[in-house]
Amino acid sequence: MITNGDVLIEVKDVHKVFGNSLHALNGVSEMIRKGEVVVIVGPSGSGKSTFLRSLNLLEVPSSGSIFFEGTDITSKETNIDMHRQKMGMVFQHFNLFNHLTVLDNMTLAPVHLKLMNKEEARTEALRLLERVGLADKADAFPSQLSGGQKQRVSFAGVMVDDVDILLFDEPLANLDPATGKTAIDLIDRVWKNSRKTVVIVEHRLEDDLYR
Ligand code: ADP
Ligand code: MG
């Protein structure tokens, strides 16, 4: 039986209009339960990234509301930074800074948000890199990594223990099928070990990888 206590995110009638008339989200309502894996499929331009970015308020809905663990995060009174720490987002283009090493990319946010000091952040980043098999790339720059390796770095960066939900924006885009399979296996392994809630958007289900 599912009770309200199992609901992690509730999206209620969310609209997002860019400019005067570009209706990217048109009254979306959705309930995401704890431990669930949700895959959202739709063509390019259908609003998938806008939806995913709305979940942690990187896009602010034009109307409607979004509840995270029972708190209305669209309310002005909510401290969104506190909730964002519980949401790990892997962007479509990985969002790595090319002028920073892998380790510096990974320690930037936790140090900036004062969640850890520099040394703690380094230790944690190395532990996470170890998990995705990239400890030896800690001092490499993003330009020295393959697409799949860059992706694993961005995966590692969000797989911290206190994150409740992982948001993936087209994790298979630009990956060859074998690397894509590795990526899905990695998400699957994390989900099986932690039962974190996972939301994935994709423009199509490629080669049955998600089945
Ligand atoms: P998808 O991820 O499914 O490809 P998006 O959510 O990126 O789709 O975009 C949905 C629509 O909103 C598209 O028409 C896109 O051009 C538009 N859009 C997205 N972000 C912005 C923005 N920051 N400003 C204006 N239009 C945007
Ligand atoms: Mg997109």
Side-chain angles (χ1 to χ4, degrees), residues 150-184:
K150 274 188 237 185
Q151 191 194 45
R152 268 144 72 199
V153 169
S154 48
F155 278 23
V158 299
M159 284 173 185
V160 291
D161 296 330
D162 44 4
V163 160
D164 291 337
I165 183 166
L166 298 168
L167 309 171
F168 293 97
D169 196 349
E170 300 202 32
L172 300 189
N174 312 316
L175 297 185
D176 59 77
T179 316
K181 176 89 180 76
T182 313
I184 292 298

Side-chain angles (χ1 to χ4, degrees), residues 97-102 104-105 108 140-142:
F97 292 109
N98 284 319
H99 66 289
L100 297 178
T101 65
V102 164
D104 289 339
N105 264 289
L108 198 64
F141 287 90

Side-chain angles (χ1 to χ4, degrees), residues 8 14 43 45 48 62-63 112 130 139 142 161-162 166-167 188:
L8 183 67
V14 164
K48 301 181 303 294
S62 308
S63 68
H112 179 75
E130 187 96 34
D139 296 319
D161 296 330
D162 44 4
L166 298 168
L167 309 171
D188 192 49

Side-chain angles (χ1 to χ4, degrees), residues 66-122:
I66 299 171
F67 292 84
F68 182 75
E69 292 178 334
T71 304
D72 182 359
I73 59 171
T74 50
S75 151
K76 294 261 177 301
E77 277 98 69
T78 303
N79 176 1
I80 185 62
D81 285 339
M82 211 179 82
H83 294 281
R84 276 202 190 118
Q85 288 165 26
K86 300 186 196 165
M87 310 187 213
M89 174 123 172
V90 176
F91 296 88
Q92 196 165 346
H93 301 289
F94 312 142
N95 273 32
L96 296 174
F97 292 109
N98 284 319
H99 66 289
L100 297 178
T101 65
V102 164
L103 204 62
D104 289 339
N105 264 289
M106 290 179 69
T107 55
L108 198 64
V111 171
H112 179 75
L113 291 170
K114 297 191 165 55
L115 298 174
M116 294 180 209
N117 67 36
K118 214 165 172 170
E119 204 40 53
E120 288 165 344
R122 279 180 66 90

